[in-house]
Amino acid sequence: MPAPDVEVVGGGVAGLVVARRLALGGASVVLHESSQQLGGTVAAHTVGGIELDAGAESFAVRGGYVAALLAELGLDGDIVLPRPGPAWLQPAVGPAAPLPATSVLGIPGDPLAPDVAAVIGAPAAALAAELDRAPLGDVPDDLAALVRARMGEAVLAELVAPVVRGVHSRRADEVGLALAHPRLREALDAHGSLGAAVLALRAAAPAGSAVAGLRGGIHRLPAALGGDLARLGVDVQLGSHVDDVRALRGTVVAAAPGVAAPAQPGRDIVLVTLVVEQSALDSAPRGSGLLVADGAPGIRARALTHATAKWAWLREVTGGLHVLRLSYDDDPGAHVATARADAADLLGVELPRASVIDAARVTWTRPAAASGAPAMIVVGETVAGSGLAGIVAHAETTAVNLLAS
Ligand SMILES: Cc1cc2nc3c(=O)[nH]c(=O)nc-3n(C[C@H](O)[C@H](O)[C@H](O)COP(=O)(O)OP(=O)(O)OC[C@H]3O[C@@H](n4cnc5c(N)ncnc54)[C@H](O)[C@@H]3O)c2cc1C
């Protein structure tokens, strides 16, 4: 057998996208996936008889990369928008409230706006406004240091930290300004304060939802990519765990952690899904869900998505049942009892034991970001960050560059 042009290691979305684009460009491609299914963190499971996403459930619309890919796969007609309205926040102290309307990653445009004071309290809001009036000076490199210096600890802990964790699965001190927003530094320089920079970024942002989903679930994406790889003649090898890339004969594209360099210790995200029967949830009391600040008393979940409130297509298939997704940074122990208690507190409704029709727990181990320049071509979360929009864009570009070279 002649050596293939390219061997892709890892059949998550990154590996699938890069393999597809290379094959479309005329390359012969082998894809190795260690498990028995494609998709990696984009997977399905059945809970309470309903087929649901077991990992990612939406994609960021920025850049249009995922939508363009879905269009190529004939799935653009099934792109759906979530319920409009802000996410809610459960602060450490006080009741849940909608996230401030004019904000970027939880940073308020106007710290004195009533929806900001409702979360952090009037004294902390006044302090934030005062701090942000100081001359700009040197801008720190990480988001936590910037927000602490310009708006104080309360804005950081109560607003920014929970949103950053929900969006990027990282602490604010692990997020550089460019990742927070590609034009944040530029806007700070132009406007001289953090609040003014946020207002300018918001004014320039396109109207509409920042995320979208797929009717039937995001897990349809890897299924469609896998179908296209078969059509294009890519040799997809399931159950093929690559220990040593030196045994491969084609140009290697690493699309899984630990292939290009020893895997750095990652973190676990535990997702508990509850399917419940409770008509009090029909009114979506917390919109599409909540982010939880550190120290919220008695609550172990980091975030809750009320999936049947967020996605109309899902509501249509559940026959009146509700789907709640709760994420945890570590094992919640008795997961059904813990998630039921957390959901009841966060949503402000009673969820007796009998209201839980079914439950599932999935533990995902996420890789740490790659450090240093890799010795081979790498795609996926370790280099493109968490989230399908960035991963798809990076994998597409990588494949195009590889074809050109
Ligand atoms: C609970 C949860 C919810 C999320 N929600 C969203 C969301 O709503 N929107 C969003 O945009 N993002 C979301 N994300 C993030 C997103 O799912 C990931 O960033 C993305 O799917 C990662 O894709 P990947 O291809 O880089 O890696 P992975 O999905 O991890 O795929 C890597 C693949 O490589 C295989 N593999 C590993 N080692 C080897 C080896 N040595 N040889 C062969 N194969 C190997 C694995 O089996 C796996 O299939 C979520 C993540 C989690 C955990």
Side-chain angles (χ1 to χ4, degrees):
M1 282 277 283
D5 296 327
V6 182
E7 301 202 49
V8 177
V9 183
V13 166
L16 293 169
V17 168
V18 86
R20 175 176 179 274
R21 189 60 62 200
L22 288 167
L24 281 168
S28 58
V29 182
V30 174
L31 182 140
H32 303 269
E33 164 54 45
S34 55
S35 75
Q36 290 300 330
Q37 64 181 34
L38 298 174
T41 322
V42 183
H45 61 175
T46 302
V47 192
I50 308 164
E51 188 171 49
L52 297 167
D53 284 315
E57 50 103 51
S58 63
F59 57 91
V61 298
R62 79 184 128 80
Y65 300 101
V66 182
L69 176 64
L70 290 169
E72 288 185 31
L73 295 166
L75 291 175
D76 47 334
D78 287 339
I79 296 177
V80 288
L81 294 179
R83 171 195 193 87
W88 283 58
L89 184 71
Q90 173 60 59
V93 181
L99 266 175
T102 312
S103 55
V104 167
L105 268 188
I107 310 166
D110 175 8
L112 296 174
D115 57 2
V116 178
V119 176
I120 62 173
L127 174 67
E130 187 188 323
L131 289 171
D132 204 29
R133 277 194 285 269
L136 192 56
D138 285 342
V139 175
D141 284 331
D142 79 76
L143 188 66
L146 173 70
V147 173
R148 190 180 289 114
R150 298 299 308 179
M151 290 193 175
E153 199 60 46
V155 171
L156 174 61
E158 296 287 332
L159 289 171
V160 178
V163 179
V164 168
R165 193 172 46 210
V167 173
H168 291 293
S169 299
R170 295 192 197 173
R171 295 193 317 265
D173 61 1
E174 296 170 324
V175 170
L177 298 198
L179 179 61
H181 193 294
R183 290 193 307 284
L184 178 56
R185 186 176 286 275
E186 190 188 310
L188 276 166
D189 289 339
H191 299 278
S193 80
L194 185 53
V198 166
L199 291 176
L201 293 173
R202 284 302 302 249
S209 176
V211 297
L214 199 56
R215 186 182 305 281
I218 287 291
H219 58 269
R220 291 181 63 206
L221 170 61
L225 285 166
D228 224 30
L229 295 194
R231 182 182 67 82
L232 292 165
V234 173
D235 179 3
V236 174
Q237 300 191 358
L238 296 177
S240 172
H241 183 84
V242 175
D243 282 320
D244 184 354
V245 291
R246 286 171 300 186
L248 304 180
R249 296 183 300 152
T251 299
V252 175
V253 176
V259 174
Q264 303 298 313
R267 334 155 266 109
D268 284 349
I269 300 177
V270 182
L271 180 73
V272 180
T273 302
L274 300 179
V275 172
V276 301
E277 188 167 22
Q278 170 52 285
S279 57
L281 292 176
D282 294 351
S283 63
R286 301 287 182 267
S288 56
L290 311 88
L291 300 161
V292 183
D294 259 341
I299 294 174
R300 290 196 55 190
R302 291 308 188 191
L304 177 152
T305 302
H306 184 172
T308 30
K310 186 170 182 180
W311 305 111
W313 71 263
L314 186 55
R315 216 159 41 242
E316 286 161 17
V317 300
T318 59
L321 298 175
H322 286 274
V323 177
L324 308 174
R325 288 166 46 113
L326 295 100
S327 46
Y328 293 84
D329 284 348
D330 50 22
D331 187 346
H335 66 282
V336 182
T338 306
R340 183 166 62 84
D342 283 352
D345 280 355
L346 289 168
L347 294 164
V349 298
E350 297 208 343
L351 287 174
R353 190 186 296 219
S355 67
V356 178
I357 306 298
D358 198 5
R361 165 172 52 186
V362 186
T363 301
W364 296 104
T365 300
R366 300 317 302 152
S371 56
M376 67 181 75
I377 302 162
V378 183
V379 295
E381 189 166 317
T382 55
V383 287
S386 177
L388 299 173
I391 286 171
V392 168
H394 178 262
E396 295 278 19
T397 309
T398 303
V400 169
N401 291 342
L402 197 52
L403 287 167
S405 68

